[in-house]
Amino acid sequence: MTIPGDGPRNGLLPRWAARSAVAASVAWLAVTVLHVVFSGRFWFWVLPDLVPPPVFVVVPSALLAAAAAGLCPRPRRWATTAGAAAAVALVLGCGQAGLNPRALTAGGRVPAGALRVVSWNTEYWDQADDPAHFYRYLTAWHADVYLLQEYLHWVNDGPQPVDDLAGLRRAFPGYHLAISGELVTLSRYPIVATPRIATAWPDGPSWYSRFEARKVLRTDLSVGGRTLSVYNVHIPVQLGERRLLHPSFYRDVHTRVRHRTAEYDALRRDVAANHDPKLIAGDFNTTPSMGEVRWFRSHLSDAVRADHALYPASWPASGPTLWRLDWAFTSGLHVYRYGFRGSEGMSDHRAQYLRLSLG
């Protein structure tokens, strides 16, 4: 016996399921719109920002496929409404998903003399690794410029400075070296200046204060008689406190977002005022769906355009690698190759590798 209004009407699903499909599509569209509006503008949104970026394509695609397959019964307005909401969400979400359509056309000849650049978050330097293995990994790149983050050890739930200058000098004879807090830049080319990136975050004379406040190391290199500005970046992470239901969790997130904003604002100001060719690379702790990189993606060139990967991702290094947290932006440069490479178990970040030349 069929109860009128409770079963399918010339369709595959009962009415309640059709309503659920519409509700899911409209709800996801609302989430996508809120994300576009609030990401990078409202501090609390760093929590929804943590989802893997592909969800912005996977979820609406599934909802759209459901509507297109006729899962919603007659009247057809159910399928039309669900499909329209899912289609709009998909269009909005494509720019948030971290996909790289240029992978299909990336490639070409790398000219002789193109610079080799490596950027890598080392995850506490060689604290848990064999130092010989650590340096073999670095020197095997034969890079002209290295941008290294987390030149430190983590002891008793806190950062501690390390002194590995002797090891660096042995492994990279003839390289020029700049260190600021946890950031290390090595260059075959002379470092002619290390301009200070002014940030609103409090600074002080101790190593710990430099570690906290100085998250960008700019080095100006002399390359073929021209100046190349290289920015070594490590934006602070969003989360530290783990007690999700405790008020201290949200105070900690708010403080961390203020810190991130101060570092991003200082970096933007310096990059905008610098008219030399420049490379900005490192661990941004920011995904393609997060609004904090909106300015960089619109004013600079994302090196991922030279990558062969349709979905480039860098974290965690031991899969599934679902997030791209490491970035490389350029201005006045031509990037011929770009990609992520494994860290041989020594870091949770994959390394960025670039071949480029001054344009």
Side-chain angles (χ1 to χ4, degrees), residues 26 37 41 52-53 62 66-67 88 105 120 144 168 220 226 243 303 309 358:
V26 172
V37 172
R41 299 184 178 96
V88 174
T105 57
W120 184 42
D144 300 297
L168 285 166
D220 290 349
R226 299 179 63 187
R243 296 177 295 174
L358 277 70

Side-chain angles (χ1 to χ4, degrees), residues 17-87:
R19 293 180 185 275
S20 297
V22 174
S25 297
V26 172
W28 185 254
L29 173 59
V31 168
T32 305
V33 171
L34 290 173
H35 178 83
V36 172
V37 172
F38 288 125
S39 182
R41 299 184 178 96
F42 177 42
W43 71 268
F44 182 80
W45 207 261
V46 296
L47 300 178
D49 270 338
L50 297 176
V51 301
V55 302
F56 289 99
V57 164
V58 172
V59 172
S61 295
L63 294 170
L64 186 60
L71 295 181
C72 296
R74 294 174 181 172
R76 291 298 182 187
R77 64 176 179 273
W78 296 114
T80 302
T81 303

Side-chain angles (χ1 to χ4, degrees), residues 160-202:
Q160 298 293 328
V162 297
D163 182 2
D164 198 18
L165 282 176
L168 285 166
R169 296 295 187 194
R170 284 194 302 269
F172 298 99
Y175 278 74
H176 303 267
L177 174 65
I179 299 176
S180 179
E182 53 141 326
L183 303 172
V184 174
T185 296
L186 291 155
S187 170
R188 292 186 193 273
Y189 299 93
I191 298 175
V192 296
T194 54
R196 175 83 164 86
I197 305 297
T199 175
W201 200 252

Side-chain angles (χ1 to χ4, degrees), residues 55 90 193 232 300:
V55 302
L90 179 60
N232 185 351
L300 304 169

Side-chain angles (χ1 to χ4, degrees), residues 317-338:
S318 55
T321 308
L322 296 178
W323 289 267
R324 181 188 181 193
L325 302 183
D326 301 84
W327 296 77
F329 297 102
T330 65
S331 176
L333 302 173
H334 191 103
V335 179
Y336 306 97
R337 291 283 188 275
Y338 177 78

